[in-house]
Amino acid sequence: MKLSKTEEELMNHLWKLNKAFMKDLLEVYPEPKPATTTVATLLKRMTDKGFVGYNLFGNARQYYPLVKKKDYFSKHLNGLIKTFFNDSTSQFASFFAKETDLSKEELEELRNLIDTEIKNK
Amino acid sequence: MKLSKTEEELMNHLWKLNKAFMKDLLEVYPEPKPATTTVATLLKRMTDKGFVGYNLFGNARQYYPLVKKKDYFSKHLNGLIKTFFNDSTSQFASFFAKETDLSKEELEELRNLIDTEIKNK
DNA sequence: AAAATACCTCTACATTTGTAGAATTAAAAT
DNA sequence: ATTTTAATTCTACAAATGTAGAGGTATTTT
């Protein structure tokens, strides 16, 4: 199962907040904020899809993510890579290194990261 | 404008083939193949959205992509990065380096690529 | 030429998505 | 206790998506 674009956005807020009531979620939306019921609908759908859980406080709910961002994103990225790069991560990697607009500093940082990864293998 | 998931898949076939008639496109689908009309509908929608063009040969069309895979994908990836990494490419990069399952060899290759990129800056 | 093939457009329809009003309920504030 | 606030569920509806039948035309095959 997958989240839709708007659901993903909301999920992302939830990942940041970790735990949140409706109010908190509405707050992070920029103007013009969606209607409360809109967010409520989304949360309901996301709950049905198994991505969100909650604890009751009176009749209100404190929502929290049921999937880790990392996991969700990994799967996602793999889908992308599968679709666009014949399922080849390294093909994607080289695309990324070339086409992305990282600064020299960021690239150097990335290289260091990769070096560390290499040592751990 | 954006392509839907299924449209993307078809687009990807088109990128691979570069130029293709219906027949060619149907061929690349694994069993169970979709109905011809299904693919036709998709192609029509994609044409309307401006992602696909064609040349007439009799009443048949030879379709071709109007956007480069690279460009399409870049935009796409940026969307992802925006959604999940606070719009920070380098944050994504480090996620990628850590979470991806590249082999030592692939990582080394990637590092070399990055080195080259650094030199070009 | 007749038949078969390929492929197009139109139409259709169920699902999913984006958005939100109406009605309701529980908790908080006065 | 009454009003206000926050949040929920139900219902609704337009647009987008996935899928494909029906019907028509051009091209190729026999």
Side-chain angles (χ1 to χ4, degrees), chain A residues 2-62:
Chain A
K2 201 192 156 298
L3 297 173
S4 79
K5 208 76 198 140
T6 356
E7 288 167 345
E8 266 176 14
E9 201 187 335
L10 181 50
M11 193 67 189
N12 208 39
H13 294 153
L14 200 50
W15 276 319
K16 275 188 207 133
L17 297 173
N18 205 38
K19 282 175 180 301
F21 292 93
M22 266 287 330
K23 183 175 48 164
D24 310 317
L25 289 168
L26 265 174
E27 257 170 31
V28 280
Y29 278 93
E31 297 293 349
K33 294 183 191 301
T36 317
T37 49
T38 301
V39 177
T41 302
L42 292 175
L43 283 170
K44 193 173 180 33
R45 289 178 184 166
M46 290 157 85
T47 305
D48 292 346
K49 290 182 183 174
F51 287 92
V52 171
Y54 58 82
N55 290 313
L56 277 172
F57 283 75
N59 73 332
R61 300 171 178 177
Q62 187 179 42

Side-chain angles (χ1 to χ4, degrees), chain B residues 64-117:
Chain B
Y64 55 85
L66 286 179
V67 284
K68 285 202 276 297
K69 175 170 166 170
K70 199 180 65 134
D71 294 340
Y72 183 80
F73 189 76
S74 288
K75 189 178 276 185
H76 224 245
L77 184 60
N78 283 333
L80 265 206
I81 292 177
K82 191 161 296 193
T83 305
F84 291 103
F85 293 93
N86 306 311
D87 211 354
S88 156
T89 309
S90 66
Q91 209 172 108
F92 167 74
S94 75
F95 168 88
F96 178 73
K98 274 185 227 132
E99 293 308 325
T100 219
D101 54 347
L102 291 175
S103 70
K104 192 167 180 170
E105 289 69 33
E106 289 171 325
L107 280 171
E108 278 164 356
E109 206 182 308
L110 179 56
R111 185 188 46 196
N112 291 340
L113 260 167
I114 290 170
D115 274 340
T116 312
E117 284 304 307

Side-chain angles (χ1 to χ4, degrees), chain B residues 4-115:
Chain B
S4 79
K5 208 75 201 144
T6 356
E7 288 168 346
E8 266 175 16
E9 201 187 335
L10 182 50
M11 194 67 190
N12 208 38
H13 294 152
L14 200 50
W15 276 318
K16 274 189 206 131
L17 298 174
N18 205 38
K19 281 175 181 301
F21 291 93
M22 266 288 328
K23 185 174 47 163
D24 310 317
L25 289 169
L26 266 174
E27 256 170 31
V28 280
Y29 276 94
E31 297 293 349
K33 293 183 192 302
T36 317
T37 48
T38 301
V39 177
T41 302
L42 292 175
L43 284 170
K44 192 172 179 34
R45 289 178 184 166
M46 289 157 84
T47 305
D48 292 346
K49 290 182 182 174
F51 287 93
V52 170
Y54 57 82
N55 290 313
L56 279 171
F57 284 75
N59 72 331
R61 300 170 178 180
Q62 188 179 40
Y63 297 95
Y64 55 85
L66 286 179
V67 284
K68 285 202 276 297
K69 175 170 166 170
K70 199 180 65 134
D71 294 340
Y72 183 80
F73 189 76
S74 288
K75 189 178 276 185
H76 224 245
L77 184 60
N78 283 333
L80 265 206
I81 292 177
K82 191 161 296 193
T83 305
F84 291 103
F85 293 93
N86 306 311
D87 211 354
S88 156
T89 309
S90 66
Q91 209 172 108
F92 167 74
S94 75
F95 168 88
F96 178 73
K98 274 185 227 132
E99 293 308 325
T100 219
D101 54 347
L102 291 175
S103 70
K104 192 167 180 170
E105 289 69 33
E106 289 171 325
L107 280 171
E108 278 164 356
E109 206 182 308
L110 179 56
R111 185 188 46 196
N112 291 340
L113 260 167
I114 290 170
D115 274 340

Side-chain angles (χ1 to χ4, degrees), chain A residues 53-98:
Chain A
Y54 58 82
N55 290 313
L56 277 172
F57 283 75
N59 73 332
R61 300 171 178 177
Q62 187 179 42
Y63 296 95
Y64 54 86
L66 286 179
V67 284
K68 285 202 275 296
K69 174 169 166 171
K70 200 183 64 139
D71 294 341
Y72 183 81
F73 190 76
S74 288
K75 188 178 275 183
H76 225 244
L77 184 60
N78 283 335
L80 266 205
I81 292 177
K82 191 162 295 193
T83 306
F84 291 102
F85 294 93
N86 307 311
D87 214 353
S88 155
T89 309
S90 66
Q91 209 173 107
F92 167 74
S94 75
F95 167 88
F96 178 74
K98 274 185 228 133

